[in-house]
Amino acid sequence: MLTASHNEASAHGWRGAIALAALGVVYGDIGTSPLYALRECLNPDHGVPLTPDAVLGLLSLIFWALTLVVTVKYIVFVLRADHDGEGGIMALQALARQGIAGQASHPWMLRLIAGMGLTGAAMFYGDSLITPAISVLSAVEGLNVATPLFNAYVLPLTLAILVALFAAQRLGTGAVGKVFGPIMLLWFATLAWLGVQHIADDPRVLQALNPMWAVQFLASHPAQSLAVLGSVFLAVTGGEALYADMGHFGARAIRQAWFFVALPGLVLNYFGQGALVLSDPTAIDNPFFRMVPAWGVIPMVILSALATVIASQAVISGAYSLTAQAMRMGYLPRLRIVQTSGQAMGQIYMPAVNWLLAIGVVALVLSFKNSSALSAAYGIAVSVTMVTTTVLAALVALRVWRWNAVLVIMGAAVLLGIDTLFLAANSLKIAEGGWLPLAVAAVVLVLFTTWSRGRSLVHELAMAGRIEMRPFVQSLLADAPHRVKGTAVFLTAEPEFVPHALLHNLKHNQVMHQRNIVLQVVGVDSPRVDSAHRFDVADLGADFWQVTMRHGFMETPDVPEMMKVLSYQRGIPLETMTTTYFVSRETVATGHLKRMMLARQALFAWMHRNSSRSSDYFHLPPNRVVEFGRRPQGE
């Protein structure tokens, strides 16, 4: 009995630790929204008179947005859509595609799903630029509440924090991540404490829990409603992170952190800000920091800066993960990936992505100069992603879970109506800065589609004049070349045909290794691949093997490590020090791919030239790699 109680206590402790970690990573973005969300809702530029009824209506809109969008949609519904335990828009896209696989009568659905998944992913990059900029800026702007003398230092201090944040990325997030949870727990506790202090002074703000205040506000201010909803949406940005980070913490921990810590802290703080504004209308310039006692402003700025750095870190790490997923699914060229942890596979650093984001974020801060101006650019990208998430999740509920069609359509219609309303509201801000994340997303979409289409055309050209593998091996039995000791591994996209590198090695060196493996490495739609389904192996005779090696989009394709598993599982005699890897590298020039516009051909050729070598991507040992170049013939 004692042992059972001890084990149960240990299990509860472990789940609590996971929930705490989830609090630190998942809720950084949405957790820092109180810094600016209600302030922007109360912005006089909306043309809404500052009356008690208006304040209660705005608070009700924020509360019910958190309830319907975050709690109902993401926490209750979308978190059920785990793809082998993983979440995120790309995982949801793969799950939806599986749900309609084999339905030849609806091929347009596959194209629609792929398009929505890529659009949602592209929009994330726009959000990745704005979140660090607006979060850190809004935190440092709290210094102005302490004294206007700090005004000249807000911009330089913000830039210094952001540059330090991006510079520290190469060190990895493992060590820093251990303190994320406790800091965010302190942050949400402080949010709740500040809120309770002011709610006690004016408890009538609790009336905002009644949704009729939200309905009444929208009915009383029809001309201003869309503009106001664009600001209300700031309170739910970061909701996508709940689903994207599910693979790291699990749905249970994310739900626990939301219901027991994040949601109470957010609601109490927003209502506390509302109570302050009701008692002191001049506090609308910065209601969050006006809640703080004079002695606590500087400590609160420091805590806010830490919280916003954590929020930014989560978005930056998400950009790395999304880029890696897009690479493995064939939408981006190979980029350098640095594994920053020997234990956590998901902890990676991508220098190219990091510094592109850093340049973009710094440019945003210098261009917009304050968080109020940046709020105009914030929201449109997230709202588009939320629309695609609702549609894809509904498809999964219909095709994969086989839920009642009427209930799914009714529920999806309600959620999609809310998403569409917020999308329309954020569309009003396009001219004021909302165009920026849309432009970023458009560029990313062009890169996605250009690379995917270009690789497809290059593959078609490479197939011309290929020699089938089995007849080739049979011909070696009749006219055997000289064999040398060791194993040769030829990486190829088509193991049924003789790899270009094998033909060149035979032609120029006139030798063949004692053992030869024609290896195809395939990324699949699943996050991870079970070891039992990792390999397909065909023995072609003459010490030739044809191998297909699979990896999930959340796995690192480390070929040497997987070759050790292959040797152990299938009994192929392999020795690390006597294995040589042969790869081909194509040279693509503008004009070779006739079925692409010249501009896209030039873009594809540039992407191809700047992609990392396959030997780096597959973690091949540099001293055991032989690379042959080739140029595909034009059509």
Side-chain angles (χ1 to χ4, degrees), residues 483-561:
R483 297 262 186 159
V484 296
K485 293 182 179 180
T487 302
V489 178
F490 298 93
L491 278 81
T492 178
E494 293 289 338
E496 297 83 5
F497 298 92
V498 181
H500 172 79
L502 193 158
L503 290 175
H504 269 258
N505 183 52
L506 190 58
K507 176 181 178 181
H508 294 289
N509 297 325
Q510 299 180 4
V511 296
M512 191 163 288
H513 282 69
Q514 182 181 356
R515 290 174 297 275
N516 298 272
I517 296 175
V518 178
L519 177 65
Q520 177 191 31
V521 182
V522 179
V524 299
D525 280 349
S526 300
R528 295 177 178 83
V529 176
D530 184 81
S531 59
H533 304 99
R534 176 79 67 188
F535 307 104
D536 284 338
V537 180
D539 189 343
L540 305 180
D543 289 318
F544 265 86
W545 289 270
Q546 194 178 74
V547 178
T548 296
M549 181 183 294
R550 301 181 184 85
H551 67 89
F553 57 74
M554 295 297 291
E555 293 181 303
T556 300
D558 190 327
V559 169
E561 285 300 315

Side-chain angles (χ1 to χ4, degrees), residues 297-347:
V297 171
I298 298 300
M300 194 64 198
V301 169
I302 295 172
L303 180 59
S304 300
L306 289 172
T308 55
V309 164
I310 291 171
S312 304
Q313 177 63 64
V315 172
I316 295 168
S317 299
Y320 298 158
S321 298
L322 183 61
T323 303
Q325 289 182 27
M327 286 164 46
R328 289 162 192 159
M329 296 176 76
Y331 294 117
L332 285 177
R334 299 181 185 116
L335 301 173
R336 184 181 172 219
I337 298 178
V338 179
Q339 201 75 29
T340 60
S341 171
Q343 291 77 39
M345 184 180 60
Q347 290 185 19

Side-chain angles (χ1 to χ4, degrees), residues 446-468:
V446 169
L447 295 177
F448 280 167
T449 54
T450 298
W451 184 254
S452 179
R453 177 61 175 162
R455 289 301 301 164
S456 177
L457 293 176
V458 167
H459 174 69
E460 290 180 17
L461 293 178
M463 291 297 295
R466 281 291 182 92
I467 303 170
E468 290 190 14

Side-chain angles (χ1 to χ4, degrees), residues 129-140:
L129 287 175
I130 300 175
T131 294
I134 191 173
S135 299
V136 177
L137 253 178
S138 58
V140 179

Side-chain angles (χ1 to χ4, degrees), residues 97-98 100-105 110:
R97 286 173 64 90
Q98 286 183 9
I100 63 168
Q103 298 187 22
S105 58
L110 288 171

Side-chain angles (χ1 to χ4, degrees), residues 540-588:
L540 305 180
D543 289 318
F544 265 86
W545 289 270
Q546 194 178 74
V547 178
T548 296
M549 181 183 294
R550 301 181 184 85
H551 67 89
F553 57 74
M554 295 297 291
E555 293 181 303
T556 300
D558 190 327
V559 169
E561 285 300 315
M562 287 195 278
M563 291 299 291
K564 293 177 183 177
V565 177
L566 172 68
S567 177
Y568 175 78
Q569 283 188 357
R570 302 302 174 95
I572 300 176
L574 298 176
E575 294 182 8
T576 301
M577 297 308 297
T578 60
T579 299
T580 304
Y581 297 91
F582 291 83
V583 297
S584 298
R585 183 173 177 87
E586 293 126 344
T587 300
V588 179

Side-chain angles (χ1 to χ4, degrees), residues 198-216:
H198 289 276
I199 291 172
D201 294 336
D202 198 336
R204 60 178 163 158
V205 292
L206 296 176
Q207 298 177 51
L209 295 172
N210 185 343
M212 291 310 299
W213 283 103
V215 174
Q216 181 180 320

